[in-house]
Amino acid sequence: DAGVIQSPRHEVTEMGQEVTLRCKPISGHDYLFWYRQTMMRGLELLIYFNNNVPIDDSGMPEDRFSAKMPNASFSTLKIQPSEPRDSAVYFCASSRRGGGDTQYFGPGTRLTVL
Amino acid sequence: KQEVTQIPAALSVPEGENLVLNCSFTDSAIYNLQWFRQDPGKGLTSLLLIQSSQREQTSGRLNASLDKSSGRSTLYIAASQPGDSATYLCAVRPGSGGGADGLTFGKGTHLIIQP
């Protein structure tokens, strides 16, 4: 299996622009998670899906952030408009079951907002 | 709100030493605890997962223990090697509903093994 795939790996954009991050989970995994990592706050859960349905989005920082999972093999995290404080590494992870199974992480997207 | 703390934040030891990384969490109602490794510029690699009913897990030179009642876990690395240099993250999964499946992470221990 190719593992969790994220694109792009690096994104540099200017403040106010729309940013879309993409994730392909491991085939057969029912759960998909989006995390954000910064030096100050470490790794934080933003949102997660079960069978393509958003279950908990309490970690999404503001209305500027939105996430979708149109099918079992694809998810997007969108920031509109982007701000410099959104600069971080965004990770996608998937697991076969919610609690008992290991979460497998993608390589991350490093976002820089100028 | 669950908080996870890892001590020390950084550690540098000579090759060959045995070492212990510590993780503590404030809410003992967890479903499981997971240790990850993160290399610079890379994603996270799961090392060990301990269910709340378990006391320890072992994989090669790694041994992780869990004392749920006291809110503590340790990761023991035997005979350390330069290739073990990385940041080690501890994460817990809550034991009840309402976002229960998302992990809460510590900020990690940055480990350097000197050749």
Side-chain angles (χ1 to χ4, degrees):
Chain A
D1 199 314
V4 176
I5 299 172
Q6 292 186 248
S7 64
R9 293 294 310 277
H10 302 274
E11 176 82 24
V12 180
T13 191
E14 293 190 349
M15 182 174 64
Q17 297 297 306
E18 177 179 296
V19 175
T20 299
L21 311 181
R22 297 172 176 80
C23 175
K24 176 179 169 57
I26 293 173
S27 177
H29 282 191
D30 299 328
Y31 285 78
L32 183 139
F33 307 82
W34 282 100
Y35 293 89
R36 179 172 69 175
Q37 185 176 37
T38 61
M39 288 293 292
M40 288 293 294
R41 300 174 67 91
L43 263 162
E44 299 175 294
L45 176 69
L46 297 177
I47 184 172
Y48 77 92
F49 296 82
N50 179 23
N51 291 325
N52 312 338
V53 176
I55 302 301
D56 181 12
D57 65 355
S58 61
M60 297 285 262
E62 308 172 26
D63 291 345
R64 298 184 295 106
F65 286 69
S66 63
K68 294 182 180 180
M69 192 164 186
N71 58 63
S73 59
F74 183 65
S75 177
T76 60
L77 178 67
K78 185 176 295 186
I79 308 172
Q80 168 62 17
S82 58
E83 297 183 2
R85 59 193 169 122
D86 302 331
S87 298
V89 181
Y90 291 81
F91 288 102
C92 176
S94 69
S95 72
R96 194 175 302 278
R97 295 194 306 263
D101 276 7
T102 298
Q103 290 188 17
Y104 295 89
F105 280 70
T109 295
R110 181 173 295 276
L111 173 65
T112 302
V113 183
L114 303 174
Chain B
K1 178 188 173 186
Q2 178 75 268
E3 293 185 2
V4 180
T5 303
Q6 292 188 244
I7 295 173
L11 182 63
S12 180
V13 300
E15 179 179 5
E17 284 200 5
N18 302 324
L19 53 98
V20 175
L21 308 182
N22 296 292
C23 172
S24 61
F25 44 95
T26 55
D27 187 347
S28 62
I30 66 169
Y31 193 89
N32 60 40
L33 182 145
Q34 205 164 347
W35 282 93
F36 291 88
R37 168 186 174 138
Q38 185 174 26
D39 293 282
K42 302 288 181 62
L44 280 66
T45 300
S46 179
L47 298 173
L48 292 164
L49 184 149
I50 311 176
Q51 303 293 351
S52 62
S53 58
Q54 297 174 323
R55 296 285 291 185
E56 66 177 340
Q57 282 286 331
T58 298
S59 176
R61 293 182 295 108
L62 306 179
N63 175 275
S65 68
L66 173 64
D67 184 342
K68 198 174 79 161
S69 61
S70 68
R72 296 178 185 275
S73 176
T74 61
L75 179 66
Y76 176 82
I77 303 177
S80 58
Q81 304 171 357
D84 295 331
S85 298
T87 296
Y88 290 80
L89 294 156
C90 168
V92 299
R93 185 234 172 197
S96 56
D101 292 301
L103 299 175
T104 300
F105 282 85
K107 292 194 174 180
T109 294
H110 181 57
L111 177 64
I112 297 175
I113 307 298
Q114 306 155 9

